[in-house]
Amino acid sequence: MKQQSIGSRPQWNKTRVSSQLGIEYPIIQGPLGGLSTQRLTAAVSNFGGLGSFGAHGWSPSAIRDVISEIRALTTKPFAINLWVSMEGEGARTSGSEAFARSLAPLAEHIQALGGTLPPYRPYVSIKFEDQVRALLDAKVPAFSFIYGIPPKEILDECRAQGILTMGTATTPDEAIVLEQAGVDVIAASGFEAGGHNGREETTSMILIPAVSAAVKIPVIAAGGIATGRQMLAAMVLGAEGVQMGSRFVASVEASAHPDFKEKVIQSVEGDTVLTMKQLTPVRMMKNDFYRQVQEAEWKGAAIEELKALLGRARAKKGMFEGELDEGELEIGQSSVLLHRILPAGEIVKKVWNEFCEGLSSPVKML
Amino acid sequence: MKQQSIGSRPQWNKTRVSSQLGIEYPIIQGPLGGLSTQRLTAAVSNFGGLGSFGAHGWSPSAIRDVISEIRALTTKPFAINLWVSMEGEGARTSGSEAFARSLAPLAEHIQALGGTLPPYRPYVSIKFEDQVRALLDAKVPAFSFIYGIPPKEILDECRAQGILTMGTATTPDEAIVLEQAGVDVIAASGFEAGGHNGREETTSMILIPAVSAAVKIPVIAAGGIATGRQMLAAMVLGAEGVQMGSRFVASVEASAHPDFKEKVIQSVEGDTVLTMKQLTPVRMMKNDFYRQVQEAEWKGAAIEELKALLGRARAKKGMFEGELDEGELEIGQSSVLLHRILPAGEIVKKVWNEFCEGLSSPVKML
C-alpha cells in the first residue's frame, strides 16, 4: 500500500505554543509528580521540547535549588509545576458546573454511608504563595499548575515578567474559567491520562475539539499521547502542542524505580484503570493494591476509608521503591503503546520525526 | 492565524475499506440497534457512505423484507448488522485474555453478593443461523456483526459470494481472533461509543493504533467519531475508515423520538457515562433512570437485579417513546460535538468535506 505524500513540508513546529514558549517543538514533558528530575527536565528542554519539574510538596528553598540545578544543565526554557490549591479537588473544578452536577449524587451516596466528600488535603502543608514566590523571584520561563487558578496578582506578575502560564482543565467549563483568569495556555487533560483526570471521563478524542472550541488561547493535549502520530491526531483535533507524561516516565532520566519502568513498557491493553473517583481520580495499573481499592469501593467505602487505604506511602512504595504488587502505580492508558525505555532527548526526537512522517503520509491509501 | 496548506489533494477517499466495499467515502453508518431505518440506511449509501441496518432481534422473513425495502431505495452497497451470539457478552469477548483477567475479580465480587455473571440473553430468541441465512440468500453487499464470530462455513460462504464481513473488537486480542477467523474488516469500538463498549475502557486514541498494529486487515474507528476532523485524526492513527453511530442518531431519517434527538444535540460535556459494566457495558445519558442504575450498582446490586432494572422496555421507552427521565438513553460521548439534526446524506457530505479541509490544514500554525 503506497503512502500518499502531502508534498513539501512547511515549518510544522511553528505553533503559538512553541512560539510563546520559545521552544523548537510543541512537545511538553508532563511534570510527572515526584518522578521528574532536574536531569529529565533539562534533557527535554535541551532537545527542543519543554521540560517540566513537578514541585508540588517542595519547600520554597528546595524549589530555588531545583531551579538553579536545572539552569546549570540547560539554557533553554523549562517549566515548574505546582498545585495551586492545597485542597486540590475543590479548587481544580472551580467553574465546572458539569462537575458539580455529577458530584451531587455521589456526595449524597457517601453521606448516606455516613461519610463525607471533603476537599483533598496533601500530605505536607506548604503555602502555595511561598512556593510561587520562589518561581517569580527566579523568573522561570514557564509556570504550569493544576488544581485551581493562582490569584490575579500572581498571574499579572507572571505576565509582567514574561513568565508563560499553563493551567490544566478537564472540562470545557474549566478551560473557560482559566482563560477568563488570564492564563496563557490550557492543558486539556483527558480520561486517558495517568493523573489529574476529570470525573466526567471525557476522552481526548472529544475533549480536545470541545476545549479548543471553547477558548481562544492555545490548547495542548494531555492524556493518552505518547507517539508522533498521536501528536498529529491531537493537533488535527485542534491542539497546538502536546504534553506527554507516561512516555517520559519510561525515560532513562525519570526517577521511577527500574522495575516500575519495566512494568510500564511491558503493559498490555486493559492493564490500567481510572479509579479513586470519590477522592482524587487517578489512573493506575491493576495490581494487588488496586484490587484492594476496588473492593473497598464496591463495598461502598467512605472517603476516609479510601484515604486511609491509599496514603501517600503507597505511591512512593510502588513508583519509587518498585513494590509492584502492594504499591500504587500511576500511569496513563498510553503505556500500552510504549515498548522501550529511552533517553528523554531521543524521545523528543523520535516523537517529532513520527509527527513529520505522519504529515507526509497522514492516511493509509491504496 | 494562517492555515498551512498541504498542497494538491490526491484521492484521499481511496482506502482498502472504500475499495473493498465499493463505496465513495470510507464513512460507515453505525447500525444503531433499533434506531436504524431503511430510509437511513439507503440515504447514507446513496450519498457515498455505507448505510447499515441493525437487524438484531428481527425474524428471517422480516430481514428479507428489510433488504428488499432498502434495495427499493438504493442501488448502492449497504450492510446488515447482526448479533452473532444470543449470549452476546460471553461471545463478544472470546479470545480476549485481558478481558477474562479483568472480569475475574468482578465475578468473585458478584458471587460474594449471591449473584452470578451470566451470559447476556436478548429479549427475543431467534436463531442466528436463520437470520444469517436470510442475508446470504439475499446476497447483501456487506454483513457486519457484533458479540462474536460467525461459524467458519458462514464466513467462507460470504467470501465465496463476495459479501464483505465486518466484525467488532473492543481489544487488540479480539481483533486478532476476528482476523484469524477470516473476517475482512475490523471495527475498533472505543470507550467513547454509545454501545458495545469493552470493559477495559480503552479509548479510541489508544485503541485505534493498538488494533491497527495487531492486525493486517483494515480497521475502521468506531467510538467518539462524529466530525470530519475526528475522522482524519482516526485515520492518522491507523484507521482506514470510520463508523459513526451517534452522529446518525441525530439524523432526520433515524427512528429515534424527536425529543431524544433534541436532547442529544443539546447535550454538554459530562452528560453521558459508561455504565452497566456487570451486564452489558453501555454509554447512556445521565437521567433519572441512569441514577437508579447507579444507585443499584453502588449498593452492589446482583446481575439479576440490574437486568430487572434495565429491561428492554427502558430503551424503547427512552429512545423511541421519548420518555427522557424514565427511559434508557444510549448515546456516545461525541454527542457533545453535535448541534444540529441533519438529513443523513448531508451528514456524509459535511463529514467528508471537513475531512478534506482537515487534510489541507491539518495543524494550526502561525
Side-chain angles (χ1 to χ4, degrees), chain B residues 9 31 58 86 99 117 174 186 221 226 269 276 342 349 357:
Chain B
R9 179 190 310 166
W58 290 57
M86 291 308 157
F99 173 78
L117 195 67
E174 290 171 23
I186 301 282
E269 187 271 347
M276 303 295 291
L342 296 171
K349 280 191 299 185
E357 283 161 22

Side-chain angles (χ1 to χ4, degrees), chain A residues 4 6 10-11 14 19 192 200-203 205 229-230 236 238 269-270 286 333 362 364-366, chain B residues 4 6 10-11 14 19 192 200-203 205-206 229-230 236 238 269-270 286 333 362 364-366:
Chain A
Q4 175 64 51
I6 53 169
Q11 288 189 287
K14 292 280 173 285
S19 154
E192 297 91 340
E200 303 299 344
E201 306 189 331
T202 306
T203 76
M205 183 64 79
R229 286 198 85 95
Q230 288 181 303
V236 162
E269 187 271 347
K286 293 173 183 169
Q333 235 182 41
K364 284 186 206 162
M365 300 181 62
L366 285 176
Chain B
Q4 176 63 50
I6 54 170
Q11 290 188 288
K14 292 280 171 285
S19 155
E192 297 91 339
E200 304 298 344
E201 304 190 332
T202 306
T203 76
M205 183 65 78
I206 310 296
R229 285 198 85 95
Q230 288 181 302
V236 162
E269 187 271 347
K286 294 173 184 168
Q333 233 181 42
K364 283 185 205 161
M365 301 179 63
L366 286 176

Side-chain angles (χ1 to χ4, degrees), chain A residues 203-226:
Chain A
T203 76
S204 289
M205 183 64 79
I206 311 296
L207 190 66
I208 298 167
V211 170
S212 300
V215 297
K216 291 188 179 59
I217 56 176
V219 173
I220 58 173
I225 313 297

